[in-house]
Amino acid sequence: GAVVSQHPSRVICKSGTSVKIECRSLDFQATTMFWYRQFPKQSLMLMATSNEGSKATYEQGVEKDKFLINHASLTLSTLTVTSAHPEDSSFYICSARANRGGNEQFFGPGTRLTVL
Amino acid sequence: QKEVEQNSGPLSVPEGAIASLNCTYSDRGSQSFFWYRQYSGKSPELIMFIYSNGDKEDGRFTAQLNKASQYVSLLIRDSQPSDSATYLCAVSPFSGGYNKLIFGAGTRLAVHP
């Protein structure tokens, strides 16, 4: 149980294009999902909290117009990196908190984004 | 002061030994505590969570929580080379909202044969 998937696992795009990453909870419902970014040899950085049916809550310093989050259902959240630039290249990881459970978060496998 | 602090390591232990990983946190009202394992290039994997003071055991892993000292630890018994990874401590702060977790920077564990 508690499986979270992400798609795509790896994406390479040109500078200026937009990239959409999907995060799905496969065997549980998740009102709340989280998006993290991790640069090489650094710790996880929480970007935003995604709430089903409402606007995402962004952490300080994260541009909400650049990182668009949509949480359309209890099992799906998407992150769109708009007008991507090389400095956006990173490992993006989503997690989900089960509606029935404690505060533990279950992570997806991550998406490695490379912007050329 | 960082909210969740861990020694970055690397912590090097021989195979079969006990690895002891430590974490301190600043928010005294924190409610729940988690240990995640992250292999290089992979996403974090939940190992254990603990909510109450004391010890919680699961197989070779034991989590220890001392809220008075604001300290949580993870013991790995009979360490194996496959345990070599970065271990992330995460804390759910009292005032976090939306149940977000605050992660430490992680401790890199190296188990050598």
Side-chain angles (χ1 to χ4, degrees):
Chain A
V3 179
V4 177
S5 70
Q6 265 184 260
H7 179 81
S9 59
R10 187 180 295 269
V11 59
I12 301 173
C13 69
K14 293 182 178 180
S15 184
T17 61
S18 294
V19 175
K20 180 185 282 189
I21 303 170
E22 291 187 349
C23 177
R24 294 180 185 273
S25 56
L26 298 185
D27 52 0
F28 63 98
Q29 293 185 331
T31 300
T32 306
M33 292 184 175
F34 303 86
W35 287 96
Y36 294 84
R37 181 167 57 182
Q38 188 175 38
F39 292 106
K41 299 191 184 303
Q42 294 188 24
S43 188
L44 292 171
M45 186 195 83
L46 178 64
M47 299 175 66
T49 301
S50 171
N51 302 289
E52 188 267 338
S54 64
K55 291 182 179 180
T57 303
Y58 290 82
E59 295 299 303
Q60 191 173 7
V62 178
E63 300 175 59
K64 63 179 180 180
D65 294 331
K66 180 169 182 63
F67 299 99
L68 301 179
I69 291 172
N70 183 274
H71 195 148
S73 76
L74 289 173
T75 59
L76 173 64
S77 175
T78 60
L79 169 69
T80 300
V81 183
T82 62
S83 187
H85 291 284
E87 58 265 29
D88 298 322
S89 299
S90 188
F91 191 39
Y92 291 85
I93 315 173
C94 74
S95 70
R97 187 180 71 85
N99 286 358
R100 296 180 182 180
N103 285 346
E104 60 267 32
Q105 295 179 21
F106 300 97
F107 284 84
T111 296
R112 193 161 302 280
L113 170 64
T114 302
V115 184
L116 303 177
Chain B
Q1 181 188 5
K2 293 182 181 178
E3 294 182 78
V4 179
E5 294 209 49
Q6 295 180 256
N7 188 317
S8 61
L11 173 65
S12 182
V13 300
E15 184 174 357
I18 296 176
S20 178
L21 304 161
N22 305 314
C23 172
T24 58
Y25 58 95
S26 61
D27 187 338
R28 185 170 287 279
S30 296
Q31 303 289 315
S32 43
F33 309 85
F34 306 85
W35 283 100
Y36 286 84
R37 176 175 62 196
Q38 186 175 25
Y39 291 110
S40 180
K42 303 294 185 182
S43 66
E45 171 192 10
L46 180 65
I47 298 176
M48 291 192 70
F49 58 87
I50 185 167
Y51 297 151
S52 304
N53 275 329
D55 295 359
K56 179 181 179 182
E57 186 174 320
D58 184 0
R60 294 188 296 115
F61 300 98
T62 299
Q64 299 175 317
L65 174 61
N66 184 325
K67 289 187 177 181
S69 300
Q70 295 174 237
Y71 175 95
V72 59
S73 64
L74 178 70
L75 301 178
I76 306 175
R77 289 181 298 281
D78 189 23
S79 296
Q80 301 296 309
S82 59
D83 295 325
S84 299
T86 297
Y87 289 80
L88 303 172
C89 170
V91 175
S92 182
F94 180 74
S95 58
Y98 299 106
N99 300 302
K100 71 178 182 181
L101 298 182
I102 308 298
F103 281 85
T107 297
R108 189 157 62 90
L109 173 66
V111 181
H112 53 86

